[in-house]
Amino acid sequence: QWFAPAPPSRKAATATEDDEDDDIDLFGSDEEEDKEATRLREERLRQYAEKKAKKPALVAKSSILLDVKPWDDETDMAQLEACVRSVQLDGLVWGSSKLVPVGYGIRKLQIQCVVEDDKVGTDQLEEEITKFEEHVQSVDIAAFNKI
């Protein structure tokens, strides 16, 4: 059995019909909608910028554990701690402390503090504490952790 080819379902388009199809905009880019979308986007960007400006910036902080060593076993450790805690700097908060035995009856003061990195440096902190020369022999950083 032999089958005849199916007749074409559509006739070939002429050149003038093709040109007419090109003039039709299928996606409907309307200038009114573009202006509205632009205005809406700018409004949302402005709102986002305002919200971002109100949010407080993240402050970099560090937790520092200091070892403050006295001159000898006769140093008044309560007075030494009072001197250390008397150091007041913007961005510095003193925490807990304890006395740790070193040897030969000498104890050192271990004291915790939290500092804002932009405001207080470790060198500055050490200088302020070592100004109490009659009580403090030296200051070492036992631990330094970013928060």
Side-chain angles (χ1 to χ4, degrees):
Q1 296 186 20
W2 186 78
F3 294 104
S9 61
R10 184 173 105 94
K11 65 176 187 172
T14 62
T16 56
E17 288 176 346
D18 284 342
D19 290 343
E20 289 174 9
D21 289 342
D22 290 341
D23 292 341
I24 299 173
D25 186 5
L26 298 176
F27 298 104
S29 61
D30 188 65
E31 284 187 30
E32 291 289 325
E33 291 177 16
D34 289 344
K35 288 178 184 176
E36 179 65 22
T38 302
R39 187 193 64 75
L40 187 61
R41 183 174 60 247
E42 288 173 358
E43 175 70 18
R44 286 186 180 154
L45 285 172
R46 186 183 59 75
Q47 289 173 350
Y48 175 74
E50 286 177 4
K51 184 179 176 185
K52 194 83 166 168
K54 290 178 187 176
K55 194 173 189 179
L58 185 64
V59 179
K61 293 183 180 182
S62 298
S63 173
I64 303 174
L65 182 63
L66 297 170
D67 282 343
V68 183
K69 296 175 185 149
W71 284 108
D72 56 25
D73 61 339
E74 295 179 9
T75 302
D76 183 1
M77 295 306 286
Q79 181 63 37
L80 178 113
E81 183 175 351
C83 290
V84 171
R85 287 187 184 273
S86 71
V87 175
Q88 297 295 318
L89 299 169
D90 184 33
L92 169 68
V93 179
W94 292 109
S96 62
S97 65
K98 65 180 178 179
L99 297 176
V100 179
V102 176
Y104 302 104
I106 299 174
R107 296 177 299 168
K108 65 181 177 183
L109 172 70
Q110 257 193 353
I111 189 163
Q112 185 81 29
C113 66
V114 175
V115 298
E116 290 182 29
D117 295 344
D118 293 339
K119 296 180 180 178
V120 181
T122 55
D123 294 338
Q124 178 187 14
L125 194 56
E126 288 180 37
E127 282 178 27
E128 291 294 322
I129 294 172
T130 54
K131 284 182 181 177
F132 302 104
E133 295 172 355
E134 67 277 0
H135 298 294
V136 179
Q137 175 191 352
S138 66
V139 177
D140 294 320
I141 297 174
F144 185 100
N145 298 306
K146 294 281 186 186
I147 298 178

